[in-house]
């Protein structure tokens, strides 16, 4: 399904070579196919054509994170935030890159800002829980996972991570119940 999408965007680019959105969408499809270098090229072209293309900066940052170029990833998310200060996803993505860099306090600040901008952002609550766990703030992590689960009842990963934090707190029965819930949602 994705390869035909890339071909459609290639045709759009042939018809309208200055259409930044076609390059952007091509980049999204290529990233989903795991063709990260090609996705980077498409995002670069989209940004060249439309220098204030917020989403292209943030998605390019995601590709850079996947490529292990974490400093450049943070810079791209920062640019997206500069262009659109209320862009919750850019803060969330920035938090992910900062987590990979081991800058957990800064990552938490990014997750908190994403949550402030988008209070129903379950993934931001869950990833904030991961950062809190890594910082040893297990009770706060459980509370963050609880918020993620409250927003998305079928969030198996949040249940699993909640179980890990509860296990580390010595609350084994609650941990097992959380693991059971994760398995029920996602048996594989």
């Amino acid at each position: 399904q994705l390869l035909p999408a890339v071909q459609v965007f290639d045709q759009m680019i042939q018809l309208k070579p200055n259409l930044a959105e076609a390059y952007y969408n091509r980049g999204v499809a290529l990233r989903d196919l795991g063709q990260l270098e090609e996705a980077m090229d498409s995002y670069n072209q989209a940004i060249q054509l439309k220098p204030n293309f917020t989403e292209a900066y943030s998605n390019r940052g995601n590709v850079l994170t996947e490529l292990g170029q974490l400093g450049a990833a943070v810079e791209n998310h920062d640019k997206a935030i500069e262009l659109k200060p209320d862009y919750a996803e850019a803060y969330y993505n920035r938090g992910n890159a900062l987590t990979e860099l081991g800058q957990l306090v800064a990552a938490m600040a990014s997750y908190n800002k994403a949550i402030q901008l988008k209070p129903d952002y379950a993934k931001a609550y869950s990833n904030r829980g991961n950062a809190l766990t890594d910082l040893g703030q297990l009770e706060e992590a459980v509370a963050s996972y609880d918020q993620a689960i409250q927003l998305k009842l079928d969030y198996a990963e949040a249940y699993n991570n909640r179980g890990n934090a509860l296990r580390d707190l010595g609350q084994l029965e609650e941990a097992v119940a959380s693991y059971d819930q994760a398995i029920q949602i996602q048996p594989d």
Side-chain angles (χ1 to χ4, degrees):
Q1 298 257 350
L2 289 172
L3 193 55
V6 172
Q7 293 168 346
V8 168
F9 296 126
D10 285 343
Q11 291 171 352
M12 288 177 63
I13 290 166
Q14 285 180 346
L15 294 172
K16 293 189 175 187
N18 294 323
L19 186 61
E21 288 77 6
Y23 287 98
Y24 170 79
N25 289 324
R26 182 178 188 273
V28 170
L30 287 165
R31 179 181 176 216
D32 289 345
L33 287 167
Q35 297 178 17
L36 301 181
E37 296 295 339
E38 294 87 347
M40 278 291 295
D41 291 341
S42 289
Y43 291 134
N44 290 340
Q45 188 63 37
I47 291 166
Q48 183 177 344
L49 292 169
K50 188 176 175 182
N52 292 331
F53 202 156
T54 306
E55 294 81 1
Y57 280 103
S58 192
N59 278 17
R60 185 169 72 178
N62 291 339
V63 170
L64 288 163
T65 297
E66 291 179 57
L67 291 171
Q69 299 175 29
L70 302 172
V74 172
E75 289 173 9
N76 274 265
H77 298 307
D78 286 344
K79 181 65 176 178
I81 291 164
E82 175 189 319
L83 292 169
K84 189 176 178 184
D86 63 345
Y87 189 27
E89 287 77 8
Y91 284 99
Y92 169 78
N93 293 331
R94 182 180 189 272
N96 293 341
L98 289 167
T99 296
E100 291 290 320
L101 280 167
Q103 297 178 18
L104 299 175
V105 174
M108 279 198 21
S110 287
Y111 295 136
N112 287 338
K113 185 65 176 181
I115 291 165
Q116 176 190 348
L117 293 169
K118 188 175 174 184
D120 63 344
Y121 205 163
K123 288 172 35 176
Y125 281 106
S126 184
N127 282 14
R128 181 178 71 180
N130 295 341
L132 286 162
T133 297
D134 290 345
L135 288 167
Q137 299 175 21
L138 299 175
E139 290 175 5
E140 294 88 346
V142 170
S144 201
Y145 295 132
D146 286 344
Q147 289 172 303
I149 292 164
Q150 185 177 14
L151 291 167
K152 188 177 181 209
L153 297 175
D154 64 343
Y155 201 168
E157 183 180 352
Y159 277 106
N160 183 67
N161 292 339
R162 180 181 185 272
N164 291 339
L166 287 166
R167 180 198 63 217
D168 291 346
L169 284 167
Q171 298 175 20
L172 300 182
E173 286 182 25
E174 288 182 52
V176 169
S178 202
Y179 292 138
D180 286 345
Q181 190 66 37
I183 292 167
Q184 183 177 353
I185 294 165
Q186 190 174 340
D188 57 346

